[in-house]
Structure formats: structure tokens, C-alpha cells
């Protein structure tokens, strides 16, 4: 049945495509303009400007909301106005002084370029046109990143324009080996995306795999890079872990490119993607490489420990206090249970309520305007927590455990992995509430097996931890000084592993 | 199906984890019951047979490169007799997997959470092992790598922390009852070490079998060394008579640790044996599944 449907559909779509291609540019200027007005609508932002020379007539058509007026005036209209005495044949694209000029021969191309913010110059009596790049429109300047802040290091972050973003990366990696592969995706949105990789460092198979997966995408619109992320992920196995890394810092993406990873930039969003992504990448902050190696090694260890704690702590707390009280030193046990005198709920319920409250507060804080957000955290954190303890609804130790978990989860440098930790935390909490230590260990083992079974673009997710790569361990738990870091990641890079040449 | 390839270190690490952990939990009591305070001599005596076993497994896998035990048994012994031998081995693997899974369940029900029915642990472990086997050998090998790397520091830590309570005079007099009980203690050790034969099912997937024999023998020596600590430790702490009456002596040594605020490190023991048993059950389950698939 499916085959049949495909058969009937294919010739039809081909036909329409052929029809569109056959639409050439008409030689009659007025007819032409009329046609475009029909397509875009008479009262839209589609604009036309006529220029009448001594022996020629031409029209500049553009979409007013997409072009930069200054460029249009200075580089298209002014040069043309200076040439009014010339005949049609000598008016050439040379006199236009915009960035990019293209010859167009069919109507479909004209429409495409108009929609990209180009101005198209149509001549009376010619079946061809020129497109001049006058792309403009409002654009946010390159500013400091608000989501990934660091103490030392470059401040720039991407903005919403893909060209600016590619430029920010090119400024950091000045080599012709940096290959930019631009594509247009989205049937209606026609979003341009760019696949960046460094020739000779990135593995060719992975680059090809990325490009084939991107080519397979069929969607009407792409508004954020997450669309791409979800569409190119490994489809075989469900995983709560992110297998595509994202960042809005050009230095971060450049560092990834130098390790042999592949970057995907999407127009309209400051968030760029990086593949293949491994677990270690998500727990690394860029600042690890901008601070001295000794302190950044310690920070890396601390962060790894905190990440583990943010997953395990509530489960461990419940497991120990419910099933294995004998493992807690007696004075501590007495202190904790003494506080909980009169608390009406079991410890699992208690911590689940507190965790849930925290999640609610966090979600509320994100959605609120900045000025109100602070008030919410004060009400939520101080008033609610304090009141809950004083009213005897929860024990103080529980509040400490929940707060510690929350703080630990904030140390994760990547927001993605912190979200994953949040989800897993509740599962582990449930398991250890039911089975105690065994439940916790069972959950962790399951997690371990699962983590080992994930691959991101054929690279094992846990590499270089396992499969073991001796050289890459230098940049895993600790960071050795740069002078000892001689090799690029083994699984990701191709044969050219030497960093210094 | 994707081509599986693991390194020989990964393969041998699987062997180490699966033998050490159930060995510590289930076999050390047996050894001590038989050999008493001379258990360490039993262990030393087992060195040569253990190395021979390791050598044989590696030799067979090297001779018949790319063939698993199921396949080369049928080449060496002929189709029908080979199948019979494979069948016996299959039961042996099954038996080993069963023992270790049951051992873990008994450990939990008797030492950790007595009121939980044993079925819970058995089913949970089997589900977990099944999931790991479903993910494939590479995943098992990698998971086991992580597990072993965490287990060894814990083991060394446990051995160091119990040092305070050890009294090596408990070993005297040596060979009081002559060699009889010592031999009895050697046999369970050798039987434990023969379960390294399960590696013959996964050696065909090792990408580089050069020097496999040497590596295998070194593995057996490492295994012997890993048993020295617990075997001597239990006797040194409790003395032979008391140690013979304990169910899980190695676990109790951990439980009795008390250094300042550090006390009751049961959680370390629970972690050790859960992770290790998981590795063993998974490995044997994988071997069973593969053997059945290749046999029929």
C-alpha cells in the first residue's frame, strides 16, 4: 500500500517542479513586474523602483522589510543613476558595487533571491536579471553571552545571523582548511544552515554522515538549532542524554573544531551545534582551558563529583535513612531522626515533595521577568523552606540534602546535561525508596550500561573513559598543562592526531 | 550485525571481575572451611594449575583464530562428541551464572535487607543482565572496564583500612594437620579459576590475539594476588576457628572497620559485590546466549 502511494505521488511532484523551472524571466518589463506583484500581493512589502535612462528602462525590485536601505541607495541605485546616458547593452553588473552579484535566468531564482533580501534588477527587453546582495534588516549586535558566563576568556557570543557567526569562527581559525558547507533546509522557512569542519582533522566519514543526515531532513521550518539536533540524532535507541552539544560561544565551537568535531550553524539562532559529542564534553567548561591547569584540574574533578552527587544524593539519602540506618554513624543518625520528630511524612515522600517544590520554583523563576524572578527565589527559597521546617512539615536535614543537590546540579557547565541529571535523579529516588541500596546500585548500573550503549555519530559516548585511550585521559578528569597535551581525541579525530606540528 | 571488536585487555578484565568478586563472596568461605589457617598455602598451590588453565584457554583461541569454544570443540572432537562436550560446558556456564546470581540474592537477604524477598534481587539482576546482553559485547566490555577500575581502589582501600585489626600470629602454627586440608582448600580455588574458560566464548571477538598466552597467564597471576588480601585478612582478623563459622567473612571485615569517624563501610562491600556480580552474570549470560546460538 505504501509503495503504491509513493508511486502515485512522485510523478506529480516532479511535474510541478518542472513547471516552475520552465518559468523564465519575461522580456516585457511591465508584464514581469505585474507577475511578481501577483505572487507577493499588491499591497505587501514588495517594492519596485523604476529607472528610466536615455535608451533603456529598468526596474529594481526588492522586499522592503529585508533589505538595508543604505546599501540599496549607495550601491545599487546611485551607480545606476550615474549611467543614465548609456545604452542598455553597456549597463552591466560591473557598475553595481554590492558584495555579491548574481546572474539570474529564471523566475524561481528571482523569487528565491528576493526572499533572501537581495535586490533584483530587471531590464526591459532582456530575459535575464541581476541579483545584488542588499541583505539587511534588524540584527542584534555581537554581545556577551548571558547563558554561558565565564571569568576569563573571550566575551563574544553568536548572534542570530549565520554570516556573522561563521565570521566569528573564521576569525579564530584562520586557515583555508576550514570548510564551510552551506545548505538550505525547510520547505517554507528556507533556513540556511552551515556545516563547518576542518579538513585533515575531522574524520571524513563523520563529516559525510552528518551531511547525509542533514540532507535527509524533511520539515517545513527550522526556527532553532534544536530542530536539527533532534532530526540528526541517532534514531536507533532512546536516550535522555544529549548526543549533540550546543553552545553560543564561538571560542567553544572553535575549540571543538580543532579537536576534529563538526559544527552546525543555523540561521536565526545564536546556538550552534557540535558533533560528535561525548559525555566529557558536556562536563567541560571552556574556562578549564583559560585558567591555569592546576586549578582547572581541581575544578574539573569537583565538577565531576558534583554531577555524580546531583544524580545520586536524594536517592542515597532516602536509601540510607529508610533501609540502612545501621550504616550511618550513631550520633549523626540521632541528630537527623531527632529533627524529624513529628514530621508526618515518610522520608521518601518528604524529599520527593521538596525536590518537586524546587523544580516548580526553578521553572517559575525562568519564565518570570528578571525583576520578579529574584522575588520568587526569595519567597520560594527562604520563606517557603524556612516555614516548612518551622511548621514541622519537613526535617532540616532534608532541606539541606535538597539544597545541596540543587547547588550541585548548577555546577554542570552545560544546561543539557543538567536537565538529564534532573530526570535521572527522580528515577533513582524512586528506586532507592523501593529497594534501598540495591535499588540505587541497580539504577546506577542500568545507567552505566545505557551510557556505554550510546553512540554519537559512531563515537562511543563514554570515550575516552571507556574505550580507554591513554592520551585522552590527560584531558578527562584533570587537564594537564598545554605543553603535555600533544594529541587530539582519538575516537573523534582522523589519523592527524598531533596537535603541534 | 555490526562487527564486534574488543581489545584483549577488555576481554581479560571481564575475566578478572567475574572471578574475583564471586570468588571473594562465595568461595573464600569454602576455602577457609577446608584449609583453615593454612588457606594461604592452598592459594599458593593453586598458582600453577591456574596459570595452566589460563594458558590453555589462550592457546586454544590462538590456534583456532576466530572460532569460539563451541565451534572449535566440534572441529577438534568431531561433530557429535564435540556437541556433547559443548553441552556440558553450556550447563557449566549456566550453573556458574545461577550460582553467582543466587549468591548475590542470598547475600542481600541475609546481610543487607533481610525482609525483602530474594526474588526481587534475582529478577532485577536478570533484567539488568538481559539488557546488557541485548546491548552487545562491546557495551558489556566497556561497562566492565568502568566497574573494575572502581572496584580495585575500593578493594585496596578496604584491605588497608582493616590492617589495624589484623593479627598475623593467627597463622601459626603452619601446616598443623599436614597437607590434607590444604589440598582440600586448593580444589575449590582451582574450580573457581577454571571458570575463566568462559573467555573462550569471547576471545574470537578480540581484535589482536598476539601474545594472548602471556597476557592470559599474567591475568591469572593478578587473580591470585587479588585473593591474597581477603584470604589472609579474614583469618588474620577473626582467627581460623571463628572465620570458619562465618557466612560472608569478607563482608564482615568491611562491616567491622572502625577508624575514627569512619565506621561501618558495608556500603562499599555492597557496591563491590553488586557491581562484580553484575559483570559475572552478564558475561556468563552472554556466553550462554552465544553458545546456544552457535550450537543449534
Amino acid at each position: 500500500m505504501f509503495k503504491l502511494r509513493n508511486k502515485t505521488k512522485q510523478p506529480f511532484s516532479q511535474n510541478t517542479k518542472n513547471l516552475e523551472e520552465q518559468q523564465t524571466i519575461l522580456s516585457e518589463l511591465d508584464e514581469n513586474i505585474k507577475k511578481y506583484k501577483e505572487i507577493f500581493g499588491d499591497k505587501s512589502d514588495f517594492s519596485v523602483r523604476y529607472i528610466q535612462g536615455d535608451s533603456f528602462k529598468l526596474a529594481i525590485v526588492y522586499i522592503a522589510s529585508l533589505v538595508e536601505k543604505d546599501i540599496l541607495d549607495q550601491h545599487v541605485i546611485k551607480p545606476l543613476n550615474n549611467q543614465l546616458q548609456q545604452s542598455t547593452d553597456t549597463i552591466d553588473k560591473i557598475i553595481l558595487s554590492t558584495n555579491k552579484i548574481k546572474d539570474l535566468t529564471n523566475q524561481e531564482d528571482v523569487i528565491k533571491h528576493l526572499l533572501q533580501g537581495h535586490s533584483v534588477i530587471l531590464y526591459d527587453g532582456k530575459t535575464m536579471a541581476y541579483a545584488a546582495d542588499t541583505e539587511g534588516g534588524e540584527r542584534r549586535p555581537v554581545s556577551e553571552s548571558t547563558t554561558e558566563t565565564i571569568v576569563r576568556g573571550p566575551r563574544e557570543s553568536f548572534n542570530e545571523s549565520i554570516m556573522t557567526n561563521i565570521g566569528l569562527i573564521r576569525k579564530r581559525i584562520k586557515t583555508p582548511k576550514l570548510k564551510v558547507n552551506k545548505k538550505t533546509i525547510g520547505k517554507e522557512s528556507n533556513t540556511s544552515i552551515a556545516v563547518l569542519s576542518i579538513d585533515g582533522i575531522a574524520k571524513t566519514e563523520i563529516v559525510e554522515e552528518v551531511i547525509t543526515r542533514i540532507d535527509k531532513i524533511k520539515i517545513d521550518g527550522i526556527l532553532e538549532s534544536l530542530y536539527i539536533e533532534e532530526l540528526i540524532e541517532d534514531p536507533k535507541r532512546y536516550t535522555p542524554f544529549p548526543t549533540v552539544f550546543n553552545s553560543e560561544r564561538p571560542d567553544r565551537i572553535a575549540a571543538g573544531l580543532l579537536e576534529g568535531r563538526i559544527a552546525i550553524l543555523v540561521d536565526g539562532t545564536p546556538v550552534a551545534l557540535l558533533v560528535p559529542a561525548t559525555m566529557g564534553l558536556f562536563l567541560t567548561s571552556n574556562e578549564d582551558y583559560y585558567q591555569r591547569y592546576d586549578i582547572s584540574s581541581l575544578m574539573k574533578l569537583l565538577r565531576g563529583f558534583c554531577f555524580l552527587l546531583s544524580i545520586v544524593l536524594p536517592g542515597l539519602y532516602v536509601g540510607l535513612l529508610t533501609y540502612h540506618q545501621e550504616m550511618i554513624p550513631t550520633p549523626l543518625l540521632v541528630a537527623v531522626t531527632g529533627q524529624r520528630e513529628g514530621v508526618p511524612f515518610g522520608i521518601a515522600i518528604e524529599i520527593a515533595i521538596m525536590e518537586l517544590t524546587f523544580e516548580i520554583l526553578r521553572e517559575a523563576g525562568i519564565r518570570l521577568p528578571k525583576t520578579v524572578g529574584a522575588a520568587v527565589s526569595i519567597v520560594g527559597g527562604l520563606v517557603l523552606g524556612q516555614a516548612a521546617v518551622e511548621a514541622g512539615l519537613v526535617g532540616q536535614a532534608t532541606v539541606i540534602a535538597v539544597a545541596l543537590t540543587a547547588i550541585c546540579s548548577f555546577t554542570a557547565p552545560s544546561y543539557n546535561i543538567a536537565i538529564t541529571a534532573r530526570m535521572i535523579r527522580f528515577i533513582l529516588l524512586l528506586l532507592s525508596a523501593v529497594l534501598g541500596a540495591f535499588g540505587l546500585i541497580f539504577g546506577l548500573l542500568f545507567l552505566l550500561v545505557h551510557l556505554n550503549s550510546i553512540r554519537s555519530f559512531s563515537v562511543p559516548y563514554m570515550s575516552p573513559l571507556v574505550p580507554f585511550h591513554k592520551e585522552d585521559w590527560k584531558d578527562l578528569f584533570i587537564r594537564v598543562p598545554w605543553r603535555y597535551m600533544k594529541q587530539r581525541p582519538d575516537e573523534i579525530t582522523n589519523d592527524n592526531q598531533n596537535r603541534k606540528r | 550485525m555490526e562487527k564486534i571488536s574488543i581489545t584483549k585487555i577488555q576481554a581479560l578484565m571481564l575475566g578478572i571481575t567475574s572471578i574475583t568478586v564471586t570468588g571473594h563472596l562465595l568461595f573464600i568461605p569454602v576455602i577457609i572451611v577446608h584449609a583453615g589457617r593454612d588457606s594461604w598455602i592452598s592459594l599458593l598451590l593453586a598458582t600453577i594449575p591456574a596459570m595452566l588453565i589460563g594458558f590453555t584457554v589462550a592457546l586454544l583461541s590462538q590456534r583456532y583464530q576466530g572460532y569460539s569454544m563451541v565451534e572449535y570443540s566440534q572441529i577438534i572432537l568431531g561433530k557429535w562428541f564435540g556437541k556433547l562436550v559443548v553441552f556440558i560446558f553450556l550447563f557449566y556456564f549456566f550453573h556458574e551464572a545461577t550460582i553467582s546470581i543466587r549468591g548475590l540474592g542470598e547475600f542481600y537477604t541475609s546481610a543487607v535487607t533481610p525482609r525483602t524477598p530474594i526474588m526481587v534481587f534475582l529478577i532485577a539482576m536478570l533484567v539488568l543482565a538481559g539488557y546488557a546482553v541485548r546491548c552487545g559485547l562491546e557495551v558489556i566490555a566497556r561497562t566492565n572496564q568502568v566497574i573494575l577500575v572502581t572496584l580495585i581502589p575500593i578493594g585496596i582501600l578496604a584491605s588497608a583500612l582493616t590492617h589495624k585489626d589484623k593479627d598475623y600470629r593467627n597463622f601459626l602454627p603452619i601446616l598443623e594437620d599436614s597437607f590434607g586440608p590444604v589440598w582440600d582448600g586448593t580444589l575449590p580455588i582451582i574450580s573457581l579459576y577454571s571458570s575463566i574458560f568462559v573467555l573462550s566464548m569471547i576471545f574470537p571477538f578480540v581484535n589482536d590475539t598476539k601474545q594472548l598466552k602471556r597476557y592470559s597467564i599474567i591475568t591469572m597471576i593478578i587473580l591470585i594476588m587479588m585473593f591474597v588480601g581477603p584470604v589472609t585478612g579474614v583469618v588474620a582478623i577473626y582467627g581460623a576457628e571463628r572465620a570458619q563459622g562465618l557466612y560472608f567473612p569478607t563482608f564482615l571485615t568491611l562491616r567491622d572497620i572502625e577508624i575514627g569517624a569512619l565506621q561501618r563501610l558495608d556500603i562499599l562491600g555492597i557496591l563491590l559485590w553488586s557491581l562484580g556480580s553484575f559483570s559475572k552474570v552478564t558475561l556468563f549470560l552472554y556466553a550462554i546466549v552465544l553458545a546456544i546460538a552457535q550450537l543449534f
Side-chain angles (χ1 to χ4, degrees):
Chain A
M1 193 195 136
F2 287 106
K3 270 185 186 168
L4 214 143
R5 194 184 286 167
N6 276 344
K7 264 181 192 166
T8 50
K9 216 172 183 179
Q10 238 169 3
F12 176 71
S13 61
Q14 265 174 359
N15 268 345
T16 49
K17 209 178 177 189
N18 283 344
L19 271 176
E20 272 171 25
E21 272 169 15
Q22 280 157 11
Q23 299 264 353
T24 47
I25 297 169
L26 305 172
S27 63
E28 194 73 23
L29 186 61
D30 293 335
E31 288 288 312
N32 241 336
I33 303 285
K34 209 175 139 194
K35 189 137 199 175
Y36 292 121
K37 276 194 174 161
E38 256 173 42
I39 291 169
F40 286 104
D42 201 13
K43 285 172 183 152
S44 71
D45 48 358
F46 174 76
S47 322
V48 189
R49 282 185 69 162
Y50 294 98
I51 292 179
Q52 179 77 56
D54 292 349
S55 61
F56 67 91
K57 186 180 170 193
L58 56 80
I60 303 159
V61 292
Y62 56 91
I63 293 177
S65 53
L66 292 178
V67 301
E68 184 75 53
K69 286 274 161 31
D70 285 345
I71 301 177
L72 184 68
D73 288 341
Q74 287 292 320
H75 301 285
V76 181
I77 294 172
K78 208 173 159 194
L80 284 172
N81 269 333
N82 291 342
Q83 308 289 327
L84 292 177
Q85 297 84 9
Q86 305 284 332
S87 71
T88 321
D89 299 329
T90 49
I91 296 270
D92 206 340
K93 55 184 169 183
I94 299 167
I95 58 166
L96 302 173
S97 53
T98 51
N99 284 337
K100 216 188 321 184
I101 297 147
K102 265 191 187 157
D103 294 359
L104 306 176
T105 49
N106 66 54
Q107 200 176 310
E108 202 192 357
D109 274 352
V110 172
I111 293 169
K112 209 172 111 190
H113 280 88
L114 281 176
L115 287 171
Q116 279 175 6
H118 293 207
S119 307
V120 176
I121 298 141
L122 298 161
Y123 296 87
D124 194 22
K126 267 191 185 178
T127 56
M128 64 169 304
Y130 297 128
D133 184 2
T134 51
E135 194 188 334
E138 285 309 310
R139 178 180 301 174
R140 198 166 58 97
V142 173
S143 55
E144 195 168 337
S145 168
T146 46
T147 51
E148 297 167 61
T149 46
I150 54 173
V151 177
R152 177 175 174 178
R155 304 270 170 231
E156 283 174 331
S157 74
F158 289 134
N159 68 7
E160 279 78 5
S161 151
I162 190 167
M163 278 317 204
T164 317
N165 295 351
I166 294 175
L168 285 173
I169 291 174
R170 273 224 192 263
K171 264 188 214 163
R172 284 174 172 78
I173 305 173
K174 299 187 186 86
T175 165
K177 284 193 286 184
L178 177 66
K179 294 285 182 274
V180 179
N181 190 345
K182 280 189 81 176
K183 290 178 177 301
T184 310
I185 293 184
K187 203 164 161 284
E188 309 296 341
S189 74
N190 284 311
T191 315
S192 51
I193 69 162
V195 180
L196 272 69
S197 61
I198 301 184
D199 246 8
I201 296 179
K203 254 188 194 166
T204 342
E205 307 95 75
I206 301 182
V207 178
E208 276 163 13
E209 176 69 29
V210 170
I211 287 171
T212 42
R213 282 195 200 176
I214 287 178
D215 284 343
K216 273 185 201 158
I217 294 177
K218 284 201 181 84
I219 196 168
D220 58 345
I222 292 200
L223 303 178
E224 220 279 334
S225 46
L226 182 99
Y227 289 46
I228 304 271
E229 181 178 329
E230 278 187 9
L231 288 164
I232 63 171
E233 264 177 348
D234 256 337
K236 277 180 208 153
R237 217 179 282 257
Y238 167 76
T239 169
F241 285 87
T243 53
V244 177
F245 181 77
N246 68 61
S247 172
E248 56 170 39
R249 303 184 56 89
D251 51 327
R252 194 79 211 262
I253 300 293
L257 284 169
L258 286 173
E259 283 180 340
R261 298 180 208 270
I262 296 144
I264 302 164
L265 306 184
V266 179
D267 200 20
T269 175
V271 183
L273 306 177
L274 209 56
V275 288
T278 49
M279 182 88 178
L281 188 65
F282 289 96
L283 294 177
T284 312
S285 159
N286 228 21
E287 219 180 337
D288 290 344
Y289 303 97
Y290 303 153
Q291 298 286 358
R292 287 182 54 79
Y293 60 89
D294 39 12
I295 185 67
S296 51
S297 296
L298 289 173
M299 286 302 124
K300 261 185 125 154
L301 285 173
L302 182 72
R303 222 179 290 128
F305 175 70
C306 285
F307 180 68
L308 201 65
L309 212 58
S310 76
I311 295 177
V312 173
L313 190 68
L316 194 66
Y317 178 77
V318 169
L320 283 181
L321 275 179
T322 331
Y323 293 93
H324 310 287
Q325 293 97 341
E326 76 276 3
M327 289 180 206
I328 306 170
T330 320
L332 183 64
L333 184 68
V334 170
V336 171
T337 41
Q339 291 158 6
R340 292 194 69 252
E341 197 93 346
V343 172
F345 308 111
I347 221 154
I349 305 279
E350 190 183 325
I351 204 159
I353 289 174
M354 285 309 281
E355 285 283 347
L356 205 64
T357 315
F358 168 66
E359 293 296 335
I360 293 167
L361 279 174
R362 168 139 82 177
E363 193 56 24
I366 291 173
R367 303 283 160 249
L368 280 175
K370 264 181 197 161
T371 41
V372 193
V376 167
S377 57
I378 290 170
V379 172
L382 293 176
V383 181
L384 207 68
Q386 186 80 20
V389 171
E390 276 176 11
L393 291 177
V394 291
Q396 279 146 341
T398 311
V399 177
I400 294 173
V402 171
L404 190 61
T405 317
I407 297 291
C408 281
S409 77
F410 287 135
T411 61
S414 158
Y415 188 60
N416 286 26
I417 204 92
I419 294 175
T420 312
R422 273 157 77 180
M423 296 193 285
I424 293 168
R425 186 189 306 152
F426 281 96
I427 298 170
L428 286 184
L429 177 61
L430 182 73
L431 277 173
S432 50
V434 176
L435 284 172
F438 179 78
L440 191 63
I441 291 170
F442 174 83
L444 285 177
L445 268 173
F446 205 94
L447 198 65
L448 190 62
V449 176
H450 176 71
L451 276 172
N452 274 317
S453 71
I454 313 173
R455 277 166 185 274
S456 166
F457 288 88
S458 79
V459 175
Y461 197 55
M462 291 291 270
S463 103
L465 179 70
V466 279
F468 176 73
H469 295 288
K470 196 180 120 227
E471 278 296 313
D472 301 352
W473 272 54
K474 287 180 178 174
D475 193 17
L476 182 65
F477 293 116
I478 56 163
R479 179 178 78 79
V480 297
W482 270 112
R483 62 176 176 275
Y484 297 120
M485 252 200 274
K486 285 179 184 144
Q487 289 198 348
R488 300 199 174 92
D490 197 16
E491 295 267 357
I492 298 160
T493 328
N494 71 352
D495 303 332
N496 173 21
Q497 287 188 357
N498 209 347
R499 275 190 203 259
K500 296 171 188 168
R501 280 211 290 180
Chain B
M1 198 175 140
E2 230 177 69
K3 201 184 164 293
I4 306 167
S5 110
I6 55 174
T7 62
K8 55 184 170 237
I9 305 276
Q10 277 181 327
L12 292 169
M13 277 171 110
L14 274 170
I16 291 181
T17 324
S18 60
I19 289 182
T20 317
V21 174
T22 41
H24 283 189
L25 190 60
L26 302 174
F27 279 75
I28 284 182
V30 180
I31 300 165
I32 290 174
V33 163
H34 284 297
R37 64 172 71 88
D38 295 327
S39 305
W40 60 278
I41 304 179
S42 309
L43 193 66
L44 284 186
L45 286 178
T47 315
I48 303 293
M51 278 157 72
L52 269 176
I53 294 165
F55 179 77
T56 318
V57 179
L59 182 76
L60 281 170
S61 290
Q62 252 180 350
R63 282 269 168 87
Y64 299 93
Q65 207 129 57
Y67 288 107
S68 74
M69 188 271 291
V70 175
E71 288 158 329
Y72 67 60
S73 303
Q74 292 180 43
I75 295 172
I76 299 170
L77 296 169
K79 204 178 170 198
W80 289 107
F81 195 57
K83 274 200 172 160
L84 188 71
V85 170
V86 170
F87 217 70
I88 294 168
F89 263 106
L90 203 59
F91 265 101
Y92 171 62
F93 291 161
F94 190 69
H95 175 74
E96 279 282 320
T98 323
I99 275 196
S100 55
I101 210 170
R102 176 79 192 201
L104 184 80
E106 291 291 345
F107 165 66
Y108 266 106
T109 43
S110 62
V112 188
T113 41
R115 277 184 294 172
T116 313
I118 194 167
M119 266 305 175
V120 174
F121 303 112
L122 305 187
I123 290 171
M125 214 52 182
L126 265 179
V127 167
L128 199 54
Y131 175 64
V133 170
R134 174 80 185 71
C135 289
L137 182 60
E138 283 184 37
V139 174
I140 297 173
R142 275 187 248 139
T143 311
N144 174 65
Q145 247 179 325
V146 180
I147 289 175
L148 190 58
V149 168
T150 28
L151 290 194
I152 289 175
I154 294 180
I156 292 172
L157 182 75
S159 157
L161 289 178
T162 47
H163 183 76
K164 189 169 66 91
D165 305 322
K166 282 178 188 166
D167 182 3
Y168 288 98
R169 275 172 302 183
N170 279 336
F171 290 113
L172 298 171
I174 294 170
L175 287 177
E176 194 186 15
D177 304 320
S178 178
F179 267 104
V182 174
W183 286 125
D184 291 348
T186 311
L187 282 177
I189 304 181
I190 297 174
S191 85
L192 168 67
Y193 284 162
S194 352
S195 64
I196 196 94
F197 223 84
V198 71
L199 291 187
S200 60
M201 292 306 294
I202 62 168
F203 274 146
F205 302 113
V206 170
N207 52 12
D208 170 30
T209 50
K210 244 186 258 170
Q211 291 186 319
L212 190 64
K213 276 175 281 189
R214 184 194 289 182
Y215 274 87
S216 178
I217 288 171
I218 293 173
T219 307
M220 298 316 281
I221 294 171
I222 292 173
L223 272 175
I224 296 276
M225 291 194 318
M226 289 179 110
F227 275 78
V228 172
V231 166
T232 55
V234 170
V235 179
I237 291 169
Y238 298 111
E241 286 77 24
R242 231 190 111 200
Q244 280 170 345
L246 297 171
Y247 279 133
F248 299 112
T250 28
F251 179 63
L252 284 181
T253 56
L254 281 179
R255 182 170 265 188
D256 289 348
I257 289 175
E258 199 174 337
I259 296 176
L262 261 184
Q263 41 178 300
R264 310 274 320 205
L265 295 175
D266 323 24
I267 191 86
L268 287 186
I270 297 172
L271 197 68
L272 267 170
W273 285 302
S274 308
L275 296 182
S277 304
F278 161 74
S279 269
K280 178 159 187 178
V281 173
T282 312
L283 176 63
F284 276 84
L285 200 61
Y286 186 82
I288 293 166
V289 169
L290 191 66
I292 289 177
Q294 287 178 343
L295 190 61
F296 301 111

